[in-house]
Amino acid sequence: FRTATLDPSPLTLGVSTTVLERESPGPNPVTAIFQDITDVERLEESNRRNERLGAVAALSASLAHEIKNPLASIQSAVEQLASGRVAAGDERVLRNLIVGQSQRLSRLLSEFIDFSGLEMGPRSDFDVGPLVDEALGLVRQHPEVQEVKYRVHRQGAAPVWGDRDLLHRALFNLLLNAGQFAGDGGTVLVEVSVLNHDGIDLSGGGGYAVRVSIEDDGPGIDANDLGRIFDPFYTKRKGGSGLGLAVVHRTVEAHDGSVYVEPVADGGARFVLLLPGRRQTS
Ligand SMILES: Nc1ncnc2c1ncn2[C@@H]1O[C@H](COP(=O)(O)OP(=O)(O)O)[C@@H](O)[C@H]1O
Ligand SMILES: [Mg+2]
């Protein structure tokens, strides 16, 4: 089959065929319509590229914005110190500001690297219960949650099929958020269970899902914010980066699981993770 065109570049052709039923004997005639869909394809590719570039631009703009303010404070403090016309008391304030803002920048960038470099490693079968305990052990060392009560409920084994390190980080972020928002004197309730209901099957082969729910008695989440909390850099927490839930979301996606917020009767927030389980080999 040949096309006669002056342009040597390859064409993408769409073809549709129709069989015409004939009453008289003999083979039915067939019509085939060839259509040059090269332009349609190019347009689609260009739209996809635009979407990708749009997302990259939005993310870069947010990152630049986050870096700009602390950097401007550092710059101004350094300039004032360099001018040599700073009162002794102010000098200490400026030095502390430089240290504080540099730490903030470095924390932001390492969290960003965690987010952007997130990659699914090799999967294995493991019980998510002990992993929750491990992540919680780390969270408990965080200075902001020293006065928070954490309680964990789990029944039996809850084996999942996943990347243990990534899930450790996701659980850490959720447990830390819960504690930070519960605040001093607050309580966080963690539940790990196995779902066997019909229709819930994340393992692709008649398996089951593991559910981890993390509920706190903090202020809860505004209905208006629900659609944005998983966006990178979206934060309402003083000193927050807004990258914690973005990491959680990417991790869960990579596992073909899901994460969502459930309404809680008397305020507070409940985050639910559904992860693909694996049938235990007996
Ligand atoms: N347990 C929670 N209770 C109330 N709001 C929450 C909770 N977890 C997350 N959020 C909301 O989602 C935002 C984004 O969270 P996250 O991505 O972890 O970033 P950060 O902790 O740096 O603010 C928080 O600033 C807050 O507005
Ligand atoms: Mg967080």
Side-chain angles (χ1 to χ4, degrees), residues 200-217:
I200 299 176
D201 176 14
L202 295 163
S203 67
Y208 54 85
V210 167
R211 177 182 188 271
V212 182
S213 92
I214 298 170
E215 178 177 336
D216 64 68
D217 56 1

Side-chain angles (χ1 to χ4, degrees), residues 25 33 50 85 136 147 163 201 222 231 244-245 264 268 271:
I33 300 172
N50 278 342
R85 292 190 304 270
L136 189 53
E147 305 300 321
D163 178 335
D201 176 14
D222 241 43
D231 290 351
L245 288 182
V264 188
F271 283 81

Side-chain angles (χ1 to χ4, degrees), residues 103-186:
Q103 281 170 349
R104 189 176 147 197
L105 271 182
S106 131
R107 212 169 40 233
L108 173 78
L109 288 176
S110 61
E111 281 185 37
F112 184 73
I113 290 168
D114 265 1
F115 163 73
S116 57
L118 190 145
E119 234 175 67
M120 188 79 174
R123 280 182 159 197
S124 59
D125 254 326
F126 58 89
D127 191 337
V128 87
L131 188 65
V132 168
D133 295 339
E134 261 175 52
L136 189 53
L138 208 60
V139 168
R140 281 205 166 108
Q141 292 170 22
H142 199 284
E144 285 172 38
V145 301
Q146 291 312 304
E147 305 300 321
V148 176
K149 235 189 304 157
Y150 281 93
R151 291 202 319 235
V152 181
H153 282 296
R154 54 183 163 108
Q155 312 141 340
V160 298
W161 171 235
D163 178 335
R164 205 171 186 277
D165 289 342
L166 278 193
L167 288 176
H168 181 277
R169 209 191 307 159
L171 288 168
F172 175 88
N173 288 344
L174 289 173
L175 291 165
L176 181 60
N177 276 353
Q180 285 170 328
F181 285 94
D184 287 357

